[in-house]
Amino acid sequence: MILRCVAVAALACAMAAHAQPYPAKPIRLLIAASPGGGTDGIGRVMAEALSAAFKQPVVAENRGGASGMIASDVLVKSPPDGYTIMITQNAHVTNPALFKKLPYDTLKDFTPIAPLATSPLVLIAATGTGVKSVRDLVDLSKRKPEAMSFAAAESSTRLAIEQLGEATGIALTSLIYKGTGPAVADVAGGHVNFSVTTIASVLPFRGTGKLNIVAVMAGERTPFLPDVPTLAEQGLPRVDVKGWWGIFAPPNLPPALVEQLNGAIRSVLNTPPVRQRIQNFSADIWLGSPQELDAFIRSEVPAIQALAKKAGIEPE
C-alpha cells in the first residue's frame, strides 16, 4: 500500500512538472493583411503589448491576400493550444456573402477571443481625378464612366463599394488588392482612381496632396477627421460602414485559454500607452468578451448576406 501511494505521488509530481503554465513558448499572431494599413498596425501593437504581458514573444506574421482567407485557413488548421491566434477585420463576416466556397465555416471553425477596435471607413480619390465630394464623383462618372475604378483591399471594402454604387446609381469597378496598404498607395500614386478604406491607412498621405479624403462612410463625423463630411451630409444617408478588428483562435480552444487570452487582451487595451497607439490608427477601443464577439459575428454574417443579395451581388 505504501509503495502504491509512493508511485501515485511520483506520477502526480511528474505530471505537474510537465504541466507548464500558459504560455510556455512563443505565440504566433497571424495578421490577415499585408504590411501597411490598420490591420497590420494594430496587429503589431497587440503583438508587442501581449509579449510584455505574457513575458513570451508574440510573433506577428503577415498572411495577407484573398480577403483574409489565407490567414484564416492557416488558423483553422492550427492546433487549439493557444499558440496560434489571428487578428482580422470586416472581411471575416463579408466573405460568406461574396464567395461561394470558403476553405472553412465562418460560424463553426473559429473561436472568438476578443474584439479590439472599430473605425468608420472613408471614401478616397486620387488627386488627379479632381474629385473632392460625392457630387464631383457623380459628375465625373457621367463624363468618364471608365474612370470609376476602385481599389478593393478586401471583401468588406468591395461590399462597401457596391453599396456606394447602388446609392449613387453609378457603375463602379472593383480592382482586388491584397491589402489596404498597397491599395491606398496605388490611389496616392494615381494608378487607380478611388478606394474605400480605413482611416488609419490614409493618414500617412493626409496633407501630402496625393489623395483627397472625400467622405466618412458613417452617419456622423469622426473626431479623427473632423473636417471631412459624412456621406449622409452629402445626400447618402443609407450608406453607413464601419471597420472593426478582433482576435480569433482555432476551433475548440479550451475555455480556460479563451478566458486567459481575453483577459490579457482587455488588460493591455486598458493601458494608456496601448490605447493611445491604437487611437493613433484612428480607431476606437472596443472592450468586449468572447461571447460578445461571437454574437456580433453570428448577427453580421446573415445580415451582410441579405444586404449582398438585395444589392444583386452574386458570390464568386
Side-chain angles (χ1 to χ4, degrees):
M1 183 68 178
I2 294 176
L3 289 175
R4 185 181 300 170
C5 290
V6 170
V8 170
L11 177 61
C13 289
M15 292 176 65
H18 286 289
Q20 296 174 307
Y22 172 85
K25 62 180 183 179
I27 297 171
R28 180 168 62 153
L29 174 60
L30 301 172
I31 299 177
S34 300
T39 304
D40 178 57
I42 293 174
R44 292 183 180 280
V45 169
M46 293 305 299
E48 182 180 326
L50 289 173
S51 294
F54 284 135
K55 295 181 173 56
Q56 284 284 355
V58 176
V59 182
E61 180 180 325
N62 291 92
R63 286 297 185 101
S67 293
M69 286 186 280
I70 292 175
S72 294
D73 190 39
V74 173
L75 182 73
V76 300
K77 292 175 180 175
S78 300
D81 57 8
Y83 289 102
T84 303
I85 56 178
M86 175 185 73
I87 177 174
T88 189
Q89 26 61 34
N90 298 55
H92 190 67
V93 293
T94 57
N95 281 342
L98 298 178
F99 299 97
K100 291 179 181 178
K101 292 185 178 181
L102 299 177
Y104 49 79
D105 186 316
T106 302
L107 298 180
K108 295 179 180 179
D109 292 341
F110 298 85
T111 300
I113 299 298
L116 298 176
T118 64
S119 180
L121 299 182
V122 291
L123 167 63
I124 62 172
T127 305
T129 65
V131 171
K132 296 181 179 180
S133 68
V134 171
R135 172 51 56 192
D136 291 341
L137 179 70
V138 173
D139 290 344
L140 180 63
S141 73
K142 294 176 181 178
R143 299 194 312 272
K144 296 181 178 180
E146 72 279 3
M148 296 296 104
S149 59
F150 277 71
E154 54 217 15
S155 59
S156 57
T157 57
R158 181 184 165 195
L159 187 62
I161 291 165
E162 293 288 350
Q163 288 179 262
L164 179 64
E166 182 187 20
T168 57
I170 303 172
L172 309 178
T173 301
S174 292
L175 306 176
I176 308 303
Y177 280 71
K178 288 186 177 181
T180 56
V184 175
D186 267 10
V187 175
H191 305 299
V192 63
N193 288 333
F194 305 98
S195 186
V196 171
T197 186
T198 61
I199 295 175
S201 63
V202 303
L203 286 183
F205 297 96
R206 192 181 185 196
T208 64
K210 294 182 178 180
L211 56 77
N212 298 326
I213 306 175
V214 178
V216 175
M217 299 185 70
E220 57 187 29
R221 294 197 185 199
T222 171
F224 300 113
L225 293 171
D227 56 332
V228 178
T230 66
L231 285 180
E233 291 178 77
Q234 300 185 60
L236 300 177
R238 291 180 298 144
V239 184
D240 189 342
V241 187
K242 281 190 176 181
W244 60 268
W245 294 268
I247 288 185
F248 296 79
N252 304 314
L253 188 71
L257 289 182
V258 173
E259 292 303 321
Q260 186 174 349
L261 281 164
N262 179 268
I265 290 166
R266 289 168 69 109
S267 179
V268 300
L269 286 176
N270 264 322
T271 61
V274 172
R275 293 180 74 89
Q276 184 58 58
R277 290 181 66 188
I278 289 181
Q279 288 170 350
N280 287 344
F281 289 99
S282 304
D284 295 308
I285 299 296
W286 177 12
L287 292 174
S289 66
Q291 295 76 19
E292 183 180 348
L293 181 56
D294 184 56
F296 173 75
I297 299 300
R298 292 184 182 280
S299 67
E300 283 289 286
V301 168
I304 290 170
Q305 287 175 320
L307 178 64
K309 185 176 181 180
K310 182 180 178 181
I313 301 173
E314 292 292 331
E316 295 179 353

